[in-house]
Amino acid sequence: MCVTEVFHLFDTSILHEVRKPLPDREVFICVAVKELEAWFLADDQAINRVLPKAAYKAPQDTGTLNAQRELGQIWRRQYMSSFNKIAFAIEMAKSFSPQRAERHSPSFAYCWQKMGYWFSGP
Protein backbone atom coordinates (compact mmCIF):
# COMPACT_ATOMS: atom_id res chain seq x y z
CA MET A 1 0.00 0.00 0.00
CA CYS A 2 1.44 3.40 -0.94
CA VAL A 3 1.38 6.53 1.20
CA THR A 4 -1.41 8.11 -0.82
CA GLU A 5 -3.60 5.06 -0.26
CA VAL A 6 -2.91 5.21 3.49
CA PHE A 7 -3.99 8.86 3.63
CA HIS A 8 -7.24 8.00 1.89
CA LEU A 9 -8.09 5.62 4.73
CA PHE A 10 -8.61 8.64 7.01
CA ASP A 11 -11.83 10.60 7.36
CA THR A 12 -12.02 13.76 5.24
CA SER A 13 -12.05 15.95 8.38
CA ILE A 14 -8.65 14.54 9.35
CA LEU A 15 -7.29 15.04 5.84
CA HIS A 16 -8.47 18.65 5.94
CA GLU A 17 -6.69 19.17 9.27
CA VAL A 18 -3.33 17.75 8.15
CA ARG A 19 -3.25 20.08 5.16
CA LYS A 20 -3.24 23.17 7.39
CA PRO A 21 0.02 25.05 8.04
CA LEU A 22 1.99 23.49 10.91
CA PRO A 23 1.26 26.23 13.49
CA ASP A 24 -2.49 25.84 12.89
CA ARG A 25 -2.55 22.06 12.72
CA GLU A 26 -4.19 19.83 15.34
CA VAL A 27 -3.14 16.56 13.67
CA PHE A 28 0.16 15.23 12.37
CA ILE A 29 0.32 11.97 10.42
CA CYS A 30 3.56 10.06 10.02
CA VAL A 31 3.55 7.05 7.70
CA ALA A 32 6.56 4.77 7.90
CA VAL A 33 7.08 3.54 4.38
CA LYS A 34 10.21 1.45 4.68
CA GLU A 35 12.32 -0.25 7.32
CA LEU A 36 10.41 0.84 10.43
CA GLU A 37 12.60 -1.69 12.21
CA ALA A 38 15.53 0.72 11.68
CA TRP A 39 13.90 3.02 14.22
CA PHE A 40 13.99 0.21 16.78
CA LEU A 41 17.64 -0.51 15.97
CA ALA A 42 18.46 3.14 16.69
CA ASP A 43 18.04 2.45 20.43
CA ASP A 44 20.74 -0.08 21.20
CA GLN A 45 20.07 0.02 24.95
CA ALA A 46 16.48 -1.08 24.39
CA ILE A 47 17.57 -3.80 21.94
CA ASN A 48 20.05 -5.15 24.48
CA ARG A 49 17.45 -5.00 27.25
CA VAL A 50 14.87 -6.89 25.20
CA LEU A 51 17.38 -9.28 23.62
CA PRO A 52 20.24 -9.63 26.13
CA LYS A 53 22.29 -11.97 23.92
CA ALA A 54 22.41 -9.33 21.18
CA ALA A 55 25.45 -7.33 22.36
CA TYR A 56 24.19 -4.84 19.77
CA LYS A 57 25.74 -1.42 19.09
CA ALA A 58 23.80 1.02 16.91
CA PRO A 59 25.65 2.42 13.89
CA GLN A 60 25.73 6.16 13.25
CA ASP A 61 22.67 5.84 10.96
CA THR A 62 20.44 2.77 11.21
CA GLY A 63 18.91 3.70 7.87
CA THR A 64 21.98 2.13 6.26
CA LEU A 65 21.09 -1.32 7.65
CA ASN A 66 18.84 -3.99 6.24
CA ALA A 67 16.93 -3.62 9.51
CA GLN A 68 14.56 -6.54 9.16
CA ARG A 69 17.41 -8.92 8.37
CA GLU A 70 19.51 -7.52 11.24
CA LEU A 71 16.68 -7.90 13.76
CA GLY A 72 15.92 -11.38 12.48
CA GLN A 73 19.52 -12.43 13.09
CA ILE A 74 19.57 -10.89 16.57
CA TRP A 75 16.23 -12.55 17.40
CA ARG A 76 17.41 -15.98 16.23
CA ARG A 77 20.54 -15.74 18.40
CA GLN A 78 18.26 -15.10 21.36
CA TYR A 79 15.40 -17.50 20.68
CA MET A 80 16.54 -19.92 17.95
CA SER A 81 13.25 -19.31 16.13
CA SER A 82 11.95 -17.09 13.34
CA PHE A 83 11.56 -13.38 14.07
CA ASN A 84 8.25 -12.51 15.73
CA LYS A 85 7.66 -8.83 14.87
CA ILE A 86 4.65 -8.42 17.12
CA ALA A 87 6.23 -9.93 20.23
CA PHE A 88 9.36 -7.89 19.59
CA ALA A 89 7.44 -4.61 19.11
CA ILE A 90 5.47 -5.16 22.32
CA GLU A 91 8.66 -5.65 24.31
CA MET A 92 10.47 -2.77 22.61
CA ALA A 93 7.64 -0.39 23.45
CA LYS A 94 8.44 -0.91 27.13
CA SER A 95 12.11 0.09 26.76
CA PHE A 96 12.36 2.29 23.67
CA SER A 97 13.71 5.80 24.23
CA PRO A 98 13.04 8.39 21.51
CA GLN A 99 15.89 10.52 22.85
CA ARG A 100 18.37 7.68 22.35
CA ALA A 101 16.91 6.64 18.99
CA GLU A 102 16.99 10.05 17.38
CA ARG A 103 20.81 10.08 17.69
CA HIS A 104 21.08 7.08 15.33
CA SER A 105 18.18 7.59 12.93
CA PRO A 106 17.75 10.86 11.04
CA SER A 107 14.31 9.79 9.82
CA PHE A 108 13.15 9.04 13.35
CA ALA A 109 14.66 12.32 14.60
CA TYR A 110 12.75 14.21 11.91
CA CYS A 111 9.44 12.57 12.82
CA TRP A 112 10.02 12.96 16.57
CA GLN A 113 10.90 16.65 16.19
CA LYS A 114 7.74 17.24 14.17
CA MET A 115 5.70 15.54 16.88
CA GLY A 116 7.47 17.59 19.55
CA TYR A 117 6.61 20.77 17.69
CA TRP A 118 2.98 19.80 17.69
CA PHE A 119 2.92 18.88 21.39
CA SER A 120 4.85 21.92 22.59
CA GLY A 121 3.29 24.46 20.26
CA PRO A 122 5.05 27.22 18.32
Short mmCIF file of all heavy atoms in Angstrom, two decimals, residues 1-9 31 33:
data_model
loop_
_atom_site.label_atom_id
_atom_site.label_comp_id
_atom_site.label_asym_id
_atom_site.label_seq_id
_atom_site.Cartn_x
_atom_site.Cartn_y
_atom_site.Cartn_z
N MET A 1 0.85 -1.17 0.00
CA MET A 1 0.00 0.00 0.00
C MET A 1 0.90 1.24 0.00
O MET A 1 1.83 1.33 0.78
CB MET A 1 -0.90 -0.04 1.24
CG MET A 1 -1.86 1.11 1.32
SD MET A 1 -3.00 1.02 2.73
CE MET A 1 -4.22 -0.09 2.10
N CYS A 2 0.62 2.19 -0.87
CA CYS A 2 1.44 3.40 -0.94
C CYS A 2 0.93 4.45 0.04
O CYS A 2 -0.17 4.35 0.58
CB CYS A 2 1.47 3.94 -2.36
SG CYS A 2 -0.06 4.70 -2.90
N VAL A 3 1.73 5.48 0.24
CA VAL A 3 1.38 6.53 1.20
C VAL A 3 0.06 7.20 0.86
O VAL A 3 -0.78 7.44 1.73
CB VAL A 3 2.52 7.58 1.28
CG1 VAL A 3 2.12 8.75 2.15
CG2 VAL A 3 3.79 6.94 1.80
N THR A 4 -0.16 7.46 -0.41
CA THR A 4 -1.41 8.11 -0.82
C THR A 4 -2.62 7.25 -0.44
O THR A 4 -3.62 7.77 0.07
CB THR A 4 -1.41 8.35 -2.34
OG1 THR A 4 -0.25 9.11 -2.68
CG2 THR A 4 -2.65 9.09 -2.79
N GLU A 5 -2.51 5.96 -0.63
CA GLU A 5 -3.60 5.06 -0.26
C GLU A 5 -3.84 5.08 1.25
O GLU A 5 -4.98 5.05 1.70
CB GLU A 5 -3.30 3.63 -0.70
CG GLU A 5 -3.33 3.43 -2.21
CD GLU A 5 -2.92 2.01 -2.58
OE1 GLU A 5 -3.37 1.06 -1.93
OE2 GLU A 5 -2.14 1.89 -3.53
N VAL A 6 -2.78 5.16 2.02
CA VAL A 6 -2.91 5.21 3.49
C VAL A 6 -3.66 6.48 3.89
O VAL A 6 -4.56 6.44 4.71
CB VAL A 6 -1.53 5.15 4.18
CG1 VAL A 6 -1.65 5.43 5.67
CG2 VAL A 6 -0.88 3.79 3.94
N PHE A 7 -3.30 7.61 3.30
CA PHE A 7 -3.99 8.86 3.63
C PHE A 7 -5.48 8.79 3.32
O PHE A 7 -6.30 9.33 4.05
CB PHE A 7 -3.35 10.05 2.90
CG PHE A 7 -2.15 10.60 3.61
CD1 PHE A 7 -0.89 10.38 3.11
CD2 PHE A 7 -2.28 11.32 4.79
CE1 PHE A 7 0.22 10.87 3.77
CE2 PHE A 7 -1.18 11.82 5.45
CZ PHE A 7 0.08 11.59 4.94
N HIS A 8 -5.83 8.10 2.25
CA HIS A 8 -7.24 8.00 1.89
C HIS A 8 -8.05 7.11 2.83
O HIS A 8 -9.28 7.10 2.77
CB HIS A 8 -7.40 7.55 0.43
CG HIS A 8 -6.95 8.59 -0.55
ND1 HIS A 8 -7.28 9.92 -0.44
CD2 HIS A 8 -6.18 8.50 -1.65
CE1 HIS A 8 -6.74 10.60 -1.41
NE2 HIS A 8 -6.06 9.76 -2.17
N LEU A 9 -7.38 6.41 3.72
CA LEU A 9 -8.09 5.62 4.73
C LEU A 9 -8.66 6.50 5.84
O LEU A 9 -9.54 6.08 6.58
CB LEU A 9 -7.15 4.57 5.35
CG LEU A 9 -6.65 3.48 4.41
CD1 LEU A 9 -5.61 2.62 5.11
CD2 LEU A 9 -7.79 2.62 3.91
N VAL A 31 3.70 8.38 8.29
CA VAL A 31 3.55 7.05 7.70
C VAL A 31 4.94 6.49 7.43
O VAL A 31 5.69 7.04 6.62
CB VAL A 31 2.74 7.11 6.38
CG1 VAL A 31 2.62 5.72 5.77
CG2 VAL A 31 1.37 7.73 6.62
N VAL A 33 7.24 4.22 5.67
CA VAL A 33 7.08 3.54 4.38
C VAL A 33 8.11 2.44 4.16
O VAL A 33 7.95 1.62 3.27
CB VAL A 33 7.14 4.55 3.21
CG1 VAL A 33 5.96 5.49 3.27
CG2 VAL A 33 8.44 5.31 3.20
#
